[in-house]
Amino acid sequence: MDYKARQRRLQESLHRNRLDALLATHLPDVRYLSGFTGSAGALLISDAKTVFFTDGRYRTQARAEVQECKVVISKKGPLVACAEWLGSHKKSPGRLRRRIGIEGEHLTVAERSRLAAILPRDSALRETPALIERSRMLKDAEEIEQIRTAILLGANLFEVILKTIRPGVKESEVAAELEYAARKAGTEGMSFPTIIAGGERSSLPHGRASEAPIPSRGFVVCDFGVILAGYCSDMTRTVYVGRPTSEARRIYEAVRQAQQAAIEAVQPGVTAGEVDQVARKLLKKSNLERYFTHSTGHGVGLEIHEPPRIGTGQAEILRPGMVITVEPGVYIPGKFGVRIEDMVVVTERGCQVLTPTSKKLIAL
Ligand code: ZN
Ligand code: ZN
């Protein structure tokens, strides 16, 4: 991974935001800019250099992982270490105060107070927009390859689900088999708690696998993802146990068409909101729009949910290198639900679907 280029991009955005430095405390951001995968670390990025702070537990790991940074190992926490480091490295002459950017979404009120209390007098904290997350939206070729590998591995594991689902088996048993196979295949873990939601529970958009048995007839929503080398995958397929009713077929087909239309709308220059609108419009044709109760998709990368959000009114313009999900769904309370989700990468001319799995209705 080209950490130097990532840091350089960020340094340029510091200028645009009138900052002298940026303090990165959100661990996926720290990993993105330095390579560090541990659980205690902070990064101070300024014009002149990037400094990584951690504690003694991570001495060896930091040496092995962290790139393109000065590494400071401290007996104190990374935030205190950073404030003290600023105190011992004075501002450049002629400057009134150093403006240190912090990301309000990722620093607690207590952390901010602690930091302000020990920060040298010549420095001031400034809350800034999510600069690093914005930079992370555009994946480079190496990241797209990592994501593709994670997606392919995840898609292969769908077979385990198909083999395990049968009437009477608990949803949690299906999830367990899937997660066991994922770990055996070398993943770091699941991207999020696996969703296996059968029968009436399929109408819960986030029906985590429960103790409930798979019904003898009805939909089962399966939404899962794996983490491989830090990058997440995310896919949903909805299968039918038994012989699908004509209503079930009709609704599945409506969701499939909405999902396909939304994928076809993904291209550079359109807004995230426009893609969302396409899915909604298609479902409206079948009078199902009111049952589509969440956004059409989200960005995926080092985190399972990251910008851009593909939702109503979102003005973010899609650009080549963005990796997003397209996942409309229909949830009829007390009855059943259907969702189909693929991951796609925005290309120069449109998009490429990364999830290889068929979307034909599978009856088990
Ligand atoms: Zn999902
Ligand atoms: Zn998703």
Side-chain angles (χ1 to χ4, degrees), residues 192 223 234-236 297-298 300 304-305 325 327 339 341:
F192 54 90
D223 187 352
D234 188 6
M235 71 177 274
T236 307
H298 53 88
V300 186
I304 181 64
H305 289 118
T325 68
E327 50 176 310
R339 176 167 66 255
E341 172 181 32

Side-chain angles (χ1 to χ4, degrees), residues 187-251:
T187 64
E188 285 165 39
M190 307 308 284
S191 309
F192 54 90
T194 300
I195 292 172
I196 303 285
E200 227 180 276
R201 290 192 78 253
S202 62
S203 69
L204 307 169
H206 269 176
R208 278 190 195 177
S210 74
E211 297 271 277
I214 301 291
S216 52
R217 198 174 182 196
F219 279 120
V220 184
V221 172
C222 313
D223 187 352
F224 63 98
V226 299
I227 308 173
L228 199 63
Y231 285 86
C232 297
S233 79
D234 188 6
M235 71 177 274
T236 307
R237 288 295 180 268
T238 302
V239 299
Y240 202 93
V241 179
R243 223 172 84 86
T245 61
S246 59
E247 187 195 24
R249 277 188 189 285
R250 182 178 70 83
I251 288 176

Side-chain angles (χ1 to χ4, degrees), residues 96-364:
L96 289 174
R97 280 188 116 188
R98 270 190 297 203
R99 291 157 304 196
I100 315 283
I102 49 169
E103 296 190 313
E105 299 279 350
H106 301 302
L107 207 63
T108 65
V109 174
E111 282 168 338
R112 185 191 175 134
S113 310
R114 212 180 311 142
L115 197 57
I118 45 174
L119 209 62
R121 283 237 186 98
D122 69 359
S123 305
L125 298 176
R126 292 268 180 280
E127 194 174 328
T128 55
L131 297 178
I132 309 173
E133 266 153 319
R134 290 204 59 76
S135 170
R136 279 171 46 197
M137 279 199 302
L138 301 180
K139 274 74 180 172
D140 60 33
E142 217 175 329
E143 289 183 288
I144 292 169
E145 271 326 295
Q146 284 296 354
I147 292 171
R148 196 190 298 274
T149 313
I151 290 173
L152 291 181
L153 201 155
N156 280 338
L157 293 170
F158 181 54
E159 293 297 320
V160 177
I161 292 184
L162 294 181
K163 265 191 227 141
T164 316
I165 287 185
R166 57 180 182 275
V169 171
K170 282 183 205 156
E171 292 170 355
S172 56
E173 282 180 76
V174 179
E177 291 297 337
L178 166 77
E179 292 175 10
Y180 178 65
R183 280 300 256 169
K184 283 209 16 166
T187 64
E188 285 165 39
M190 307 308 284
S191 309
F192 54 90
T194 300
I195 292 172
I196 303 285
E200 227 180 276
R201 290 192 78 253
S202 62
S203 69
L204 307 169
H206 269 176
R208 278 190 195 177
S210 74
E211 297 271 277
I214 301 291
S216 52
R217 198 174 182 196
F219 279 120
V220 184
V221 172
C222 313
D223 187 352
F224 63 98
V226 299
I227 308 173
L228 199 63
Y231 285 86
C232 297
S233 79
D234 188 6
M235 71 177 274
T236 307
R237 288 295 180 268
T238 302
V239 299
Y240 202 93
V241 179
R243 223 172 84 86
T245 61
S246 59
E247 187 195 24
R249 277 188 189 285
R250 182 178 70 83
I251 288 176
Y252 185 90
E253 189 52 23
V255 174
R256 202 189 59 76
Q257 283 179 16
Q259 201 250 3
Q260 192 54 41
I263 287 176
E264 281 159 21
V266 174
Q267 55 173 302
V270 307
T271 67
E274 282 166 344
V275 173
D276 180 81
Q277 215 41 51
V278 168
R280 269 169 230 286
K281 233 192 213 158
L282 257 281
L283 288 173
K284 198 172 186 176
K285 274 195 198 163
S286 329
N287 259 329
L288 293 167
E289 191 208 13
R290 73 193 144 164
Y291 299 117
F292 176 25
T293 46
H294 54 72
S295 311
T296 294
H298 53 88
V300 186
L302 287 170
E303 289 180 277
I304 181 64
H305 289 118
E306 49 179 64
R309 195 163 81 80
I310 314 299
T312 309
Q314 292 292 314
E316 189 72 60
I317 293 169
L318 299 186
R319 283 180 287 165
M322 287 181 172
V323 174
I324 58 171
T325 68
V326 179
E327 50 176 310
V330 160
Y331 312 93
I332 304 173
K335 221 168 168 187
F336 60 70
V338 174
R339 176 167 66 255
I340 301 172
E341 172 181 32
D342 285 332
M343 279 172 68
V344 307
V345 56
V346 183
T347 59
E348 295 293 336
R349 294 164 147 228
C351 76
Q352 188 192 3
V353 179
L354 299 173
T355 312
T357 314
S358 159
K359 286 175 270 197
K360 264 175 68 180
L361 178 56
I362 296 174
L364 295 169

Side-chain angles (χ1 to χ4, degrees), residues 3 34-38 40-41 43 52-74:
Y3 299 105
S34 72
F36 180 69
T37 65
L43 212 57
F52 171 78
F53 302 90
T54 188
D55 61 53
R57 291 173 300 166
Y58 286 111
R59 186 183 297 274
T60 311
Q61 189 174 332
R63 198 174 296 146
E65 290 180 344
V66 175
Q67 291 180 42
E68 307 292 345
C69 303
K70 178 183 165 51
V71 175
V72 175
I73 310 284
S74 166

